[in-house]
Amino acid sequence: MSENYKDYLGALLAYHRSENAMGHALRHNLVQGDACETVAEYLDQHPETVIALAYFDMALYEPTKAALVAMEERFLSGSVLVFDELNDEHYPGETMAVREWLKGKSYIVKRSRFLPDRSFVILK
C-alpha cells in the first residue's frame, strides 16, 4: 500500500458516511499493519465483535489464512465472506487459504454477476 492509503481510505469512508442516512453510526474501524498480526490483536481487544460481512482483498496465502483463522469464532450462520481473487490463477494463495479453511465447513459459493472476478462464500 502507498504511504497515505489509510488517509485516502479514511476520506472515502467519511464521504460514504456523509451520504448515508445512518452516517452518524460509526460502522468501521481502520487498523493499519500486517493482517497476520493485527486481525487477531483487534479481535482480542474487541470481544463484542461479530462478523456478518468480511471483504478479503489480500491475494496472498498467509494474511488470508491468518485472518480467516482469527475471525472464525466471530462468524455467524449466514455470514458473507467476499474474496477479490478467489480462483484467480495470478493469485493462487488466496484460493489455497480459503480451500484449506473451508474444509469440513458448510457453505455455498457464489460469483458476483456484476464483477465476475469477485466471489463470495455464505456460511451455513
Side-chain angles (χ1 to χ4, degrees), residues 92-104:
E94 183 170 285
T95 302
M96 292 167 49
V98 171
R99 288 182 57 211
E100 285 179 18
W101 185 80
L102 284 174
K103 274 189 183 165

Side-chain angles (χ1 to χ4, degrees), residues 70-119:
M71 295 176 174
E72 185 166 12
E73 295 297 317
R74 309 303 180 94
F75 292 137
L76 308 167
S77 176
S79 287
V80 177
L81 315 181
V82 183
F83 298 96
D84 204 43
E85 287 91 16
L86 194 65
N87 205 33
D88 186 322
E89 67 181 287
H90 303 293
Y91 303 101
E94 183 170 285
T95 302
M96 292 167 49
V98 171
R99 288 182 57 211
E100 285 179 18
W101 185 80
L102 284 174
K103 274 189 183 165
K105 294 177 176 55
S106 183
Y107 61 92
I108 58 173
V109 178
K110 296 193 175 210
R111 185 169 297 277
S112 170
R113 64 184 174 141
F114 303 107
L115 299 167
D117 60 340
R118 303 307 187 299
S119 301

Side-chain angles (χ1 to χ4, degrees), residues 58-69:
M58 296 183 267
L60 304 173
Y61 174 86
E62 290 84 3
T64 303
K65 183 73 181 278
L68 285 166
V69 169

